[in-house]
Protein backbone atom coordinates (compact mmCIF):
# COMPACT_ATOMS: atom_id res chain seq x y z
CA UNK A 1 0.00 0.00 0.00
CA UNK A 2 1.41 3.36 -1.05
CA UNK A 3 0.12 6.74 0.02
CA UNK A 4 0.03 10.20 -1.54
CA UNK A 5 1.62 13.57 -0.89
CA UNK A 6 0.15 16.98 -1.68
CA UNK A 7 -0.04 20.66 -0.78
CA UNK A 8 -2.54 21.70 1.94
CA UNK A 9 -4.60 24.80 1.10
CA UNK A 10 -7.37 24.79 3.76
CA UNK A 11 -7.87 23.78 7.39
CA UNK A 12 -11.21 22.18 8.33
CA UNK A 13 -10.34 20.21 11.48
CA UNK A 14 -12.84 21.28 14.17
CA UNK A 15 -11.46 23.45 17.00
CA UNK A 16 -8.04 23.87 15.35
CA UNK A 17 -6.42 27.10 14.21
CA UNK A 18 -7.60 28.14 10.78
CA UNK A 19 -4.10 28.69 9.36
CA UNK A 20 -2.64 25.25 10.15
CA UNK A 21 -2.25 24.65 6.43
CA UNK A 22 0.03 27.68 6.24
CA UNK A 23 2.18 26.56 9.16
CA UNK A 24 2.21 22.97 7.89
CA UNK A 25 1.73 23.20 4.10
CA UNK A 26 2.65 19.64 3.18
CA UNK A 27 0.22 16.76 3.46
CA UNK A 28 0.67 12.98 3.37
CA UNK A 29 -2.18 10.46 3.43
CA UNK A 30 -3.19 6.85 3.07
CA UNK A 31 -6.10 4.64 4.08
CA UNK A 32 -6.49 1.78 6.55
CA UNK A 33 -9.31 -0.76 6.57
CA UNK A 34 -11.55 1.66 8.45
CA UNK A 35 -10.10 5.20 8.30
CA UNK A 36 -8.34 7.75 6.16
CA UNK A 37 -5.07 9.02 7.67
CA UNK A 38 -3.41 12.41 7.11
CA UNK A 39 -0.06 13.73 8.39
CA UNK A 40 0.94 17.39 8.36
CA UNK A 41 4.46 18.36 7.33
CA UNK A 42 6.78 21.35 6.95
CA UNK A 43 8.24 22.55 3.67
CA UNK A 44 11.33 24.11 5.29
CA UNK A 45 14.49 22.94 7.04
CA UNK A 46 14.51 19.16 7.18
CA UNK A 47 10.81 18.91 6.18
CA UNK A 48 9.62 17.46 9.48
CA UNK A 49 6.52 15.28 9.24
CA UNK A 50 4.50 15.88 12.41
CA UNK A 51 3.22 12.47 13.48
CA UNK A 52 1.62 14.24 16.45
CA UNK A 53 -0.59 16.07 13.94
CA UNK A 54 -2.25 12.97 12.53
CA UNK A 55 -5.81 13.65 11.37
CA UNK A 56 -8.10 10.68 10.80
CA UNK A 57 -11.70 10.15 9.76
CA UNK A 58 -13.83 7.11 8.96
CA UNK A 59 -13.61 6.15 5.29
CA UNK A 60 -16.32 7.41 2.99
CA UNK A 61 -15.69 7.83 -0.72
CA UNK A 62 -12.12 7.75 -2.01
CA UNK A 63 -8.85 8.91 -0.46
CA UNK A 64 -8.42 11.53 -3.22
CA UNK A 65 -11.90 12.93 -2.58
CA UNK A 66 -11.17 13.09 1.15
CA UNK A 67 -7.87 14.98 0.94
CA UNK A 68 -9.33 17.43 -1.58
CA UNK A 69 -12.42 18.09 0.55
CA UNK A 70 -10.76 18.22 3.98
CA UNK A 71 -7.31 19.67 3.18
CA UNK A 72 -7.84 21.33 -0.20
CA UNK A 73 -5.16 19.02 -1.58
CA UNK A 74 -3.32 20.26 -4.67
CA UNK A 75 -0.27 18.97 -6.56
CA UNK A 76 -1.13 15.40 -5.55
CA UNK A 77 1.55 12.76 -6.18
CA UNK A 78 1.98 9.09 -5.29
CA UNK A 79 4.56 8.14 -2.66
CA UNK A 80 7.29 5.83 -3.94
CA UNK A 81 7.86 3.89 -0.70
CA UNK A 82 5.22 1.60 0.74
CA UNK A 83 3.55 2.76 3.95
CA UNK A 84 5.36 1.53 7.06
CA UNK A 85 8.54 0.72 5.14
CA UNK A 86 11.99 2.30 5.11
CA UNK A 87 15.28 1.61 3.33
CA UNK A 88 18.29 0.46 5.32
CA UNK A 89 20.67 3.32 6.06
CA UNK A 90 18.74 5.90 4.02
CA UNK A 91 17.16 8.55 6.24
CA UNK A 92 14.06 10.43 5.14
CA UNK A 93 11.73 12.83 6.96
CA UNK A 94 9.23 11.42 9.48
CA UNK A 95 12.16 9.69 11.20
CA UNK A 96 12.79 12.10 14.06
CA UNK A 97 13.05 10.18 17.33
CA UNK A 98 16.38 8.44 17.83
CA UNK A 99 15.16 4.97 18.76
CA UNK A 100 12.68 4.95 15.88
CA UNK A 101 15.47 6.01 13.51
CA UNK A 102 17.80 3.26 14.71
CA UNK A 103 15.03 0.69 14.20
CA UNK A 104 13.82 1.95 10.83
CA UNK A 105 17.29 2.28 9.29
CA UNK A 106 18.72 -0.84 10.97
CA UNK A 107 21.62 1.07 12.52
CA UNK A 108 22.92 1.34 16.07
CA UNK A 109 23.81 4.18 18.38
CA UNK A 110 27.34 2.76 18.61
CA UNK A 111 27.74 3.08 14.81
CA UNK A 112 26.59 6.66 15.01
CA UNK A 113 28.99 7.53 17.84
CA UNK A 114 31.97 6.09 15.95
CA UNK A 115 30.99 8.12 12.88
CA UNK A 116 30.64 11.26 15.00
CA UNK A 117 34.13 10.76 16.39
CA UNK A 118 35.67 10.48 12.92
CA UNK A 119 33.82 13.54 11.68
CA UNK A 120 34.74 15.50 14.78
CA UNK A 121 38.40 15.08 13.86
CA UNK A 122 37.72 16.42 10.36
CA UNK A 123 35.89 19.47 11.66
CA UNK A 124 38.59 20.18 14.23
CA UNK A 125 41.20 20.12 11.48
CA UNK A 126 39.07 22.42 9.35
CA UNK A 127 38.66 24.72 12.35
CA UNK A 128 42.45 24.86 12.74
CA UNK A 129 42.84 25.83 9.08
CA UNK A 130 40.31 28.63 9.58
CA UNK A 131 42.67 30.11 12.18
CA UNK A 132 45.23 30.69 9.42
CA UNK A 133 43.05 31.14 6.33
CA UNK A 134 40.01 33.35 6.81
CA UNK A 135 37.24 31.90 4.61
CA UNK A 136 36.36 34.60 2.11
CA UNK A 137 35.52 34.78 -1.56
CA UNK A 138 39.10 35.93 -2.17
CA UNK A 139 40.73 33.14 -0.12
CA UNK A 140 38.82 30.06 -1.28
CA UNK A 141 41.55 29.06 -3.73
CA UNK A 142 44.29 29.29 -1.12
CA UNK A 143 46.19 26.01 -0.68
CA UNK A 144 48.82 24.58 1.62
CA UNK A 145 50.16 21.32 2.99
CA UNK A 146 47.46 21.47 5.69
CA UNK A 147 44.64 21.78 3.18
CA UNK A 148 46.09 18.94 1.13
CA UNK A 149 46.34 16.78 4.25
CA UNK A 150 42.70 17.43 5.18
CA UNK A 151 41.48 16.87 1.61
CA UNK A 152 43.10 13.42 1.55
CA UNK A 153 41.73 12.50 4.98
CA UNK A 154 38.21 13.68 4.17
CA UNK A 155 38.18 11.73 0.91
CA UNK A 156 39.19 8.58 2.80
CA UNK A 157 36.31 9.00 5.23
CA UNK A 158 33.71 9.63 2.55
CA UNK A 159 34.77 6.49 0.69
CA UNK A 160 34.15 4.53 3.91
CA UNK A 161 30.54 5.69 3.73
CA UNK A 162 30.28 4.86 0.05
CA UNK A 163 31.70 1.37 0.49
CA UNK A 164 29.20 0.71 3.28
CA UNK A 165 26.36 1.37 0.85
CA UNK A 166 27.90 -0.68 -1.96
CA UNK A 167 28.12 -3.63 0.41
CA UNK A 168 24.55 -3.08 1.66
CA UNK A 169 23.31 -3.05 -1.93
CA UNK A 170 25.32 -6.19 -2.72
CA UNK A 171 26.82 -4.27 -5.63
CA UNK A 172 30.06 -5.58 -7.14
CA UNK A 173 32.58 -3.11 -8.58
CA UNK A 174 32.71 -2.52 -12.32
CA UNK A 175 36.45 -3.21 -12.27
CA UNK A 176 38.81 -4.71 -9.75
CA UNK A 177 38.04 -2.15 -7.02
CA UNK A 178 35.25 0.31 -6.37
CA UNK A 179 35.68 3.66 -8.13
CA UNK A 180 33.48 6.69 -8.74
CA UNK A 181 31.96 4.74 -11.67
CA UNK A 182 30.41 2.56 -8.97
CA UNK A 183 29.85 5.18 -6.28
CA UNK A 184 27.93 7.56 -8.54
CA UNK A 185 25.09 5.03 -8.54
CA UNK A 186 24.42 6.17 -4.97
CA UNK A 187 23.66 9.75 -6.01
CA UNK A 188 19.91 9.44 -6.53
CA UNK A 189 19.29 6.48 -4.26
CA UNK A 190 20.69 8.38 -1.25
CA UNK A 191 19.23 11.74 -2.34
CA UNK A 192 22.67 13.33 -1.97
CA UNK A 193 21.77 16.50 -3.86
CA UNK A 194 19.07 17.35 -1.31
CA UNK A 195 21.46 18.49 1.39
CA UNK A 196 22.75 22.04 1.57
CA UNK A 197 25.15 23.38 4.21
CA UNK A 198 26.15 26.97 4.91
CA UNK A 199 28.97 28.38 7.02
CA UNK A 200 27.43 30.37 9.86
CA UNK A 201 30.30 32.77 10.51
CA UNK A 202 31.13 33.32 6.85
CA UNK A 203 27.84 34.28 5.26
CA UNK A 204 29.47 35.53 2.06
CA UNK A 205 30.52 31.95 1.21
CA UNK A 206 27.87 30.43 -1.12
CA UNK A 207 25.84 27.40 0.07
CA UNK A 208 27.90 24.22 0.03
CA UNK A 209 26.46 21.36 -2.05
CA UNK A 210 29.30 18.88 -2.53
CA UNK A 211 27.30 16.50 -4.76
CA UNK A 212 25.44 19.10 -6.83
CA UNK A 213 27.23 18.48 -10.15
CA UNK A 214 28.03 14.78 -9.77
CA UNK A 215 26.93 12.80 -12.83
CA UNK A 216 27.28 9.44 -14.57
CA UNK A 217 29.04 10.83 -17.63
CA UNK A 218 32.05 12.12 -15.68
CA UNK A 219 31.85 10.50 -12.23
CA UNK A 220 35.28 11.71 -11.06
CA UNK A 221 35.78 15.05 -12.82
CA UNK A 222 32.22 16.25 -12.08
CA UNK A 223 32.92 15.76 -8.35
CA UNK A 224 35.35 18.69 -8.24
CA UNK A 225 36.74 18.18 -4.74
CA UNK A 226 37.22 14.46 -5.37
CA UNK A 227 38.99 15.13 -8.65
CA UNK A 228 41.23 17.60 -6.81
CA UNK A 229 42.11 14.89 -4.29
CA UNK A 230 43.10 12.51 -7.10
CA UNK A 231 45.32 15.06 -8.75
CA UNK A 232 47.04 16.43 -5.66
CA UNK A 233 47.64 13.01 -4.13
CA UNK A 234 49.06 11.29 -7.19
CA UNK A 235 50.88 14.24 -8.76
CA UNK A 236 51.59 16.80 -6.07
CA UNK A 237 54.27 18.62 -8.06
CA UNK A 238 51.89 19.55 -10.85
CA UNK A 239 48.59 19.70 -8.94
CA UNK A 240 49.43 20.95 -5.45
CA UNK A 241 47.29 24.03 -6.21
CA UNK A 242 44.17 21.83 -6.41
CA UNK A 243 44.25 21.30 -2.63
CA UNK A 244 42.32 24.51 -2.09
CA UNK A 245 40.36 25.68 0.91
CA UNK A 246 37.06 25.40 -0.94
CA UNK A 247 37.82 21.81 -1.98
CA UNK A 248 38.60 21.01 1.67
CA UNK A 249 35.32 22.54 2.82
CA UNK A 250 33.38 20.58 0.19
CA UNK A 251 35.12 17.32 1.12
CA UNK A 252 34.37 17.78 4.82
CA UNK A 253 30.74 18.71 4.10
CA UNK A 254 30.44 15.64 1.83
CA UNK A 255 31.12 13.57 4.94
CA UNK A 256 28.51 15.51 6.91
CA UNK A 257 25.97 14.82 4.15
CA UNK A 258 26.77 11.10 4.22
CA UNK A 259 26.41 11.09 8.01
CA UNK A 260 22.98 12.76 7.71
CA UNK A 261 21.87 10.19 5.16
CA UNK A 262 22.91 7.24 7.29
CA UNK A 263 22.03 8.48 10.78
CA UNK A 264 19.60 11.44 10.32
CA UNK A 265 20.52 15.12 10.61
CA UNK A 266 18.72 15.64 13.91
CA UNK A 267 21.33 14.17 16.27
CA UNK A 268 24.01 16.15 14.45
CA UNK A 269 22.33 19.45 15.30
CA UNK A 270 20.27 18.72 18.41
CA UNK A 271 22.56 16.80 20.77
CA UNK A 272 24.50 18.49 23.59
CA UNK A 273 27.83 16.73 23.03
CA UNK A 274 31.11 18.06 21.60
CA UNK A 275 30.33 16.85 18.08
CA UNK A 276 27.03 18.71 17.89
CA UNK A 277 28.65 21.76 19.47
CA UNK A 278 31.28 21.84 16.71
CA UNK A 279 28.64 21.40 14.02
CA UNK A 280 26.47 24.20 15.39
CA UNK A 281 29.48 26.46 15.75
CA UNK A 282 30.20 26.29 12.04
CA UNK A 283 27.20 25.07 10.04
CA UNK A 284 23.56 25.39 9.21
CA UNK A 285 21.92 22.76 7.02
CA UNK A 286 18.67 22.11 5.20
CA UNK A 287 17.10 20.24 2.32
CA UNK A 288 17.13 21.74 -1.15
CA UNK A 289 14.44 20.74 -3.67
CA UNK A 290 13.83 17.46 -1.89
CA UNK A 291 11.46 14.87 -3.32
CA UNK A 292 8.58 14.38 -0.87
CA UNK A 293 7.47 11.31 -2.84
CA UNK A 294 10.44 9.46 -1.33
CA UNK A 295 9.51 10.20 2.31
CA UNK A 296 8.58 7.43 4.74
CA UNK A 297 5.23 7.30 6.54
CA UNK A 298 4.62 5.23 9.68
CA UNK A 299 1.85 2.67 9.49
CA UNK A 300 -0.60 3.22 12.32
CA UNK A 301 -2.92 0.71 13.93
CA UNK A 302 -6.30 2.26 14.63
CA UNK A 303 -8.06 0.51 17.54
CA UNK A 304 -11.54 -0.88 17.17
CA UNK A 305 -14.13 1.60 18.39
CA UNK A 306 -12.15 4.69 17.39
CA UNK A 307 -14.18 7.81 16.70
CA UNK A 308 -15.56 8.16 13.18
CA UNK A 309 -15.50 11.96 12.89
CA UNK A 310 -12.55 14.11 11.78
CA UNK A 311 -10.13 14.69 14.65
CA UNK A 312 -6.43 14.81 15.51
CA UNK A 313 -5.16 11.39 16.55
CA UNK A 314 -1.73 11.51 18.22
CA UNK A 315 -0.45 8.12 17.09
CA UNK A 316 3.03 8.70 18.54
CA UNK A 317 1.93 9.56 22.08
CA UNK A 318 -0.63 6.75 22.11
CA UNK A 319 1.91 4.33 20.59
CA UNK A 320 -0.35 3.26 17.74
CA UNK A 321 2.43 3.50 15.14
CA UNK A 322 3.94 0.16 14.18
CA UNK A 323 7.70 -0.55 13.79
CA UNK A 324 9.02 0.14 10.31
CA UNK A 325 9.79 -2.73 7.97
CA UNK A 326 13.37 -2.12 6.81
CA UNK A 327 13.93 -2.89 3.15
CA UNK A 328 17.33 -3.52 1.52
CA UNK A 329 18.95 -0.90 -0.67
CA UNK A 330 18.97 -1.64 -4.39
CA UNK A 331 21.02 0.33 -6.91
Amino acid sequence: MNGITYKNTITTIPNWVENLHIQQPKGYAYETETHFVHFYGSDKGFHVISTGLTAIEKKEGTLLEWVQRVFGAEEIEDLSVEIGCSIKGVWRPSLYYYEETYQALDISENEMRLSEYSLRLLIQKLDEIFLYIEPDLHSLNTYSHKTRELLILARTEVENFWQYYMVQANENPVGRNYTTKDYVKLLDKLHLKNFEFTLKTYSNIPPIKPFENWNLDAPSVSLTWYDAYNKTKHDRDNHFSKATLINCINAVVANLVMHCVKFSPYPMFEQTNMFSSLINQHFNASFDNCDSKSFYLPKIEIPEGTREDLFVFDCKQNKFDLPFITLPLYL
Side-chain angles (χ1 to χ4, degrees), residues 250-262:
N250 272 285
V252 170
V253 170
N255 280 277
L256 301 185
V257 169
M258 296 305 303
H259 182 89
C260 288
V261 170
K262 186 175 178 182

Side-chain angles (χ1 to χ4, degrees), residues 39 48-52 54 84-109 262-264 266-267 296-300 315-317 319-326:
F39 297 96
V48 175
I49 296 177
S50 302
T51 52
T54 307
C85 294
S86 54
I87 299 172
K88 179 175 172 59
V90 184
W91 175 85
R92 301 308 281 154
S94 85
L95 297 179
Y96 177 80
Y97 299 99
Y98 294 0
E99 292 301 324
E100 179 184 54
T101 301
Y102 300 151
Q103 183 273 313
L105 303 185
D106 192 17
I107 55 173
S108 69
E109 182 178 3
K262 186 175 178 182
F263 299 107
S264 155
Y266 296 118
Y296 308 147
L297 292 187
K299 187 174 184 179
I300 65 174
C315 64
K316 181 63 65 178
Q317 183 175 347
K319 299 182 179 179
F320 291 136
D321 54 324
L322 300 174
F324 278 87
I325 298 172
T326 308

Side-chain angles (χ1 to χ4, degrees), residues 22-274:
I22 297 175
Q23 301 172 10
Q24 301 276 328
K26 293 294 295 182
Y28 308 86
Y30 60 90
E31 57 185 285
T32 69
E33 291 184 1
T34 59
H35 286 74
F36 294 129
V37 177
H38 160 94
F39 297 96
Y40 279 99
S42 171
D43 64 348
K44 297 180 177 64
F46 293 121
H47 292 241
V48 175
I49 296 177
S50 302
T51 52
L53 280 174
T54 307
I56 68 171
E57 187 176 21
K58 184 181 178 182
K59 289 168 62 173
E60 185 175 334
T62 68
L63 180 63
L64 285 177
E65 291 169 344
W66 183 67
V67 298
Q68 289 170 334
R69 171 175 57 84
V70 177
F71 307 102
E74 297 179 355
E75 302 171 15
I76 301 171
E77 297 181 289
D78 292 330
L79 293 172
S80 58
V81 181
E82 189 172 347
I83 300 303
C85 294
S86 54
I87 299 172
K88 179 175 172 59
V90 184
W91 175 85
R92 301 308 281 154
S94 85
L95 297 179
Y96 177 80
Y97 299 99
Y98 294 0
E99 292 301 324
E100 179 184 54
T101 301
Y102 300 151
Q103 183 273 313
L105 303 185
D106 192 17
I107 55 173
S108 69
E109 182 178 3
N110 184 59
E111 287 180 89
M112 186 177 73
R113 298 304 175 202
L114 289 173
S115 178
E116 288 176 354
Y117 182 75
S118 296
L119 297 190
R120 196 177 83 192
L121 296 177
L122 293 182
I123 298 169
Q124 287 173 333
K125 288 183 177 294
L126 183 63
D127 194 36
E128 291 172 4
I129 290 173
F130 285 171
L131 294 175
Y132 297 94
I133 306 174
E134 183 78 1
D136 183 86
L137 290 176
H138 301 291
S139 66
L140 293 180
N141 289 322
T142 304
Y143 59 94
S144 69
H145 288 285
K146 282 294 184 181
T147 56
R148 179 176 181 268
E149 177 186 76
L150 179 53
L151 182 61
I152 293 172
L153 181 59
R155 173 270 182 187
T156 302
E157 290 299 326
V158 83
E159 281 210 346
N160 284 335
F161 279 111
W162 290 344
Q163 288 181 19
Y164 164 83
Y165 285 106
M166 302 308 290
V167 171
Q168 293 305 318
N170 198 27
E171 188 80 5
N172 294 319
V174 173
R176 182 176 179 182
N177 298 307
Y178 290 120
T179 68
T180 51
K181 292 180 180 178
D182 305 293
Y183 298 140
V184 73
K185 299 173 187 176
L186 299 171
L187 179 63
D188 293 332
K189 294 292 186 177
L190 304 188
H191 314 284
L192 298 180
K193 291 187 179 182
N194 288 171
F195 290 90
E196 172 182 305
F197 279 70
T198 55
L199 285 167
K200 280 185 176 180
T201 309
Y202 310 103
S203 57
N204 62 332
I205 304 299
I208 305 157
K209 305 176 185 179
F211 299 102
E212 183 176 28
N213 297 314
W214 204 12
N215 63 71
L216 288 165
D217 294 331
S220 289
V221 176
S222 62
L223 207 58
T224 308
W225 53 270
Y226 189 93
D227 186 52
Y229 149 80
N230 276 332
K231 288 181 168 66
T232 192
K233 178 184 177 183
H234 299 295
D235 188 0
R236 188 189 68 179
D237 290 344
N238 291 313
H239 296 289
F240 190 20
S241 61
K242 299 290 185 182
T244 61
L245 177 62
I246 188 59
N247 281 329
C248 274
I249 294 172
N250 272 285
V252 170
V253 170
N255 280 277
L256 301 185
V257 169
M258 296 305 303
H259 182 89
C260 288
V261 170
K262 186 175 178 182
F263 299 107
S264 155
Y266 296 118
M268 178 181 286
F269 288 93
E270 296 184 0
Q271 294 178 110
T272 56
N273 58 18
M274 185 178 295

